[in-house]
């Protein structure tokens, strides 16, 4: 049976608190010269929290920001324009709990000939219980993990992320927003992989970190497959550290009250937390690099299980099989 590092939300929040005291080796390496002029950046879950902070910071640094969101369209985009002083911001509908929405989003990018230089896979949820989506898959598993498999595969398959990019000085980058809480999660349990099972708050907290371990294992395998002979796309993973966001908005009332205080007083603002993600997305320090991991501004290794090639291969195959079982279009796309 799978388990994550934490099953107590207060312990998880306090671990985030101690993380704030860790040495941030690369903090000074991001400078005002790190700019996105002429670059298109897609950010999922950009209407709130970290994604919103990223949108403002990247727009300020000259990027064309595509906010891929399921809600607050167009208000959040208007707010980003106001706060950044840039009008190079647009919002597009993307609901990662609906497979059809992922296709529609990608079709829109193809139609408008948008090929992002940077794709930041940020959207995520921390739900207090299991919820069935229209595909039959559990919502946190789908939004935090499998939708990212679908989105990245469709983007590569439709040429949205360009593999024939030898002439480009800046190779496309994909940044996975993860959590250092993935460390210490169990091996992936394929007996329960993608199967809907009701769960409560403790298991939800454990699943959150366990699904991040699965996400990191996928990111590592994607990098292996895309960058076989030479670097085509920089595919890297980052934990933004503890951030004061809406991530606990679905938690039970009492828990929200308890954690809300910790979040407000101790956790960092989305504006501040966005800076290491900006660094990984644009800095020359990541030129020619893939499968790197940052915990805020600190270079780190992910959990050792993430790097096992057999684990990555098995995860890829099981994810594709699961996807095909819930989506009739997947077969023609993937075979
Ligand atoms: N906050 C932290 O301390 C922390 C620490 C480590 C990692 N992270 C990671 O940071 C990322 C951003 O989270 P956050 O803390 O900024 O929380 P947040 O404020 O709740 O933002 C989450 C974003 O994901 C979007 N989202 C949720 N379900 C979606 C769906 N079905 N389709 C499309 N978008 C969806 C949300 O949209 P709606 O507004 O429509 O719900 C929102 O824009 C997550 O991956 C999270 O795991 C956060």
């Amino acid at each position: 049976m799978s388990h994550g590092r934490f099953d107590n939300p207060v312990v998880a929040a306090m671990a985030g608190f101690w993380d704030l005291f860790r040495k941030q080796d690369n903090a000074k390496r991001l400078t005002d010269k790190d700019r996105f002029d002429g670059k298109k950046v897609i950010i999922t879950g950009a209407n709130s929290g970290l994604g919103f902070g990223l949108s403002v910071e990247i727009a300020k640094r000259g990027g064309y920001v595509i906010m891929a969101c399921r809600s607050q369209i167009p208000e959040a985009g208007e707010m980003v324009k106001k706060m950044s002083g840039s009008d190079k911001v647009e919002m597009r509908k993307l609901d990662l709990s609906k497979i059809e929405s992922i296709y529609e989003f990608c079709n829109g990018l193809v139609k408008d000939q948008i090929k992002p230089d940077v794709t930041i896979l940020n959207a995520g949820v921390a739900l207090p219980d299991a919820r069935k989506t229209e595909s039959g898959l559990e919502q946190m598993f789908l939004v935090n993990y499998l939708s990212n498999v679908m989105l990245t595969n469709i983007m590569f398959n439709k040429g949205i992320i360009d593999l024939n990019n030898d002439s480009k000085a800046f190779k496309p980058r994909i940044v996975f927003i993860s959590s250092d809480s993935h460390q210490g999660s169990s091996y992936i349990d394929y007996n329960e992989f993608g199967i809907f099972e009701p769960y409560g708050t403790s298991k939800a907290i454990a699943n959150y970190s366990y699904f991040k371990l699965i996400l990191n294992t996928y990111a590592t395998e994607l990098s292996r497959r895309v960058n076989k002979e030479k670097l085509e796309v920089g595919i890297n993973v980052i934990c933004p550290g503890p951030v004061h966001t809406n991530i606990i908005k679905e938690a039970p009332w009492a828990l929200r009250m308890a954690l809300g205080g910790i979040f407000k007083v101790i956790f960092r603002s989305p504006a501040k937390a966005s800076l290491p993600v900006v660094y990984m997305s644009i800095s020359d320090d990541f030129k020619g690099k893939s499968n790197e991991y940052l915990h805020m501004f600190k270079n780190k290794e992910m959990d050792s299980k993430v790097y096992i090639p057999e684990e990555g291969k098995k995860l890829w195959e099981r994810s594709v099989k699961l996807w095909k079982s819930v989506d009739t279009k997947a077969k023609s796309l993937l075979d």
Side-chain angles (χ1 to χ4, degrees):
M1 196 164 137
S2 68
H3 61 82
R5 178 164 157 207
F6 302 108
D7 56 11
N8 181 318
V10 177
V11 176
M14 288 318 290
F17 169 66
W18 291 117
D19 284 344
L20 289 172
F21 297 102
R22 291 182 202 280
K23 193 161 171 264
Q24 296 296 300
D25 308 331
N26 302 311
K28 294 212 170 84
R29 299 212 41 96
L30 178 73
T31 71
D32 291 346
K33 289 188 186 134
D34 291 305
R35 291 189 55 85
F36 291 79
D37 302 293
K39 298 200 167 49
K40 293 192 175 89
V41 182
I42 291 178
I43 306 166
T44 66
N47 58 293
S48 165
L50 180 68
F52 184 85
L54 278 166
S55 303
V56 174
E57 186 62 30
I58 292 172
K60 272 186 191 165
R61 290 172 183 262
Y64 185 93
V65 178
I66 297 151
M67 300 169 67
C69 303
R70 69 166 174 175
S71 67
Q72 291 182 287
I73 303 172
E75 310 88 81
E78 292 310 310
M79 189 60 79
V80 170
K81 284 183 190 167
K82 206 168 151 189
M83 288 172 70
S84 64
S86 165
D87 61 359
K88 289 186 277 178
V89 177
E90 65 166 276
M91 292 194 84
R92 285 175 182 246
K93 180 87 181 170
L94 175 62
D95 185 338
L96 294 164
S97 66
K98 295 184 174 148
I99 299 171
E100 196 47 40
S101 174
I102 303 174
Y103 282 106
E104 279 167 14
F105 173 73
C106 289
N107 290 342
L109 296 177
V110 172
K111 183 171 146 281
D112 298 335
Q113 297 181 0
I114 293 174
K115 295 192 173 200
D117 299 280
V118 183
T119 303
I120 304 178
L121 300 168
N122 162 74
V125 283
L127 299 174
D129 47 29
R131 295 175 190 174
K132 208 174 250 186
T133 63
E134 60 191 25
S135 62
L137 293 169
E138 195 277 311
Q139 190 172 343
M140 187 155 64
F141 175 79
L142 179 56
V143 173
N144 291 16
Y145 173 59
L146 199 66
S147 66
N148 289 304
V149 175
M150 296 169 173
L151 183 57
T152 46
N153 269 278
I154 299 172
M155 287 175 88
F156 278 116
N157 193 285
K158 291 185 182 281
I160 297 165
I161 297 179
D162 217 343
L163 288 173
N164 302 312
N165 54 31
D166 280 347
S167 59
K168 279 193 167 179
F170 186 90
K171 298 278 186 187
R173 293 185 190 183
I174 301 175
V175 177
F176 285 83
I177 304 296
S178 187
S179 165
D180 207 53
S181 69
H182 81 278
Q183 308 265 11
S185 294
S186 64
Y187 275 95
I188 300 167
D189 182 346
Y190 289 101
N191 293 320
E192 60 183 41
F193 188 73
I195 293 171
F196 183 86
E197 281 281 355
Y199 57 71
T201 308
S202 295
K203 180 69 178 161
I205 302 293
N207 276 353
Y208 174 82
S209 40
Y210 171 65
F211 293 160
K212 291 293 190 187
L213 176 114
I214 300 183
L215 183 71
N216 297 357
T217 309
Y218 170 72
T220 304
E221 178 65 12
L222 182 66
S223 176
R224 248 183 233 120
R225 287 177 184 241
V226 168
N227 301 310
K228 272 192 191 122
E229 274 137 40
K230 58 180 176 26
L231 187 118
E232 301 275 3
V233 180
I235 300 172
N236 296 306
V237 179
I238 185 167
C239 169
V243 201
H244 180 31
T245 67
N246 289 321
I247 193 88
I248 54 164
K249 69 180 176 212
E250 304 252 16
W253 180 85
L255 192 58
R256 241 180 20 248
M257 290 298 112
L259 289 180
I262 300 176
F263 268 57
K264 201 169 180 178
V265 177
I266 297 170
F267 282 21
R268 294 179 312 157
S269 69
K272 195 162 181 202
S274 72
L275 296 177
V277 185
V278 168
Y279 170 61
M280 182 172 255
S281 301
I282 197 67
S283 169
D284 276 351
D285 289 358
F286 288 88
K287 196 173 179 178
K289 289 193 179 166
S290 195
N291 201 20
E292 297 286 321
Y293 177 55
L294 282 182
H295 183 195
M296 298 177 273
F297 271 113
K298 189 177 171 54
N299 294 94
K300 211 169 163 180
E301 293 273 294
M302 291 183 264
D303 187 290
S304 59
K305 295 186 274 299
V306 166
Y307 300 103
I308 302 171
E310 297 74 29
E311 283 289 304
K313 184 171 181 288
K314 188 166 181 191
L315 175 64
W316 185 282
E317 287 166 2
R318 291 299 298 263
S319 300
V320 165
K321 191 173 168 202
L322 180 62
W323 179 5
K324 283 181 183 167
S325 74
V326 294
D327 171 23
T328 49
K329 283 197 214 133
K331 196 168 162 34
S332 58
L333 187 91
L334 296 165
D335 288 347

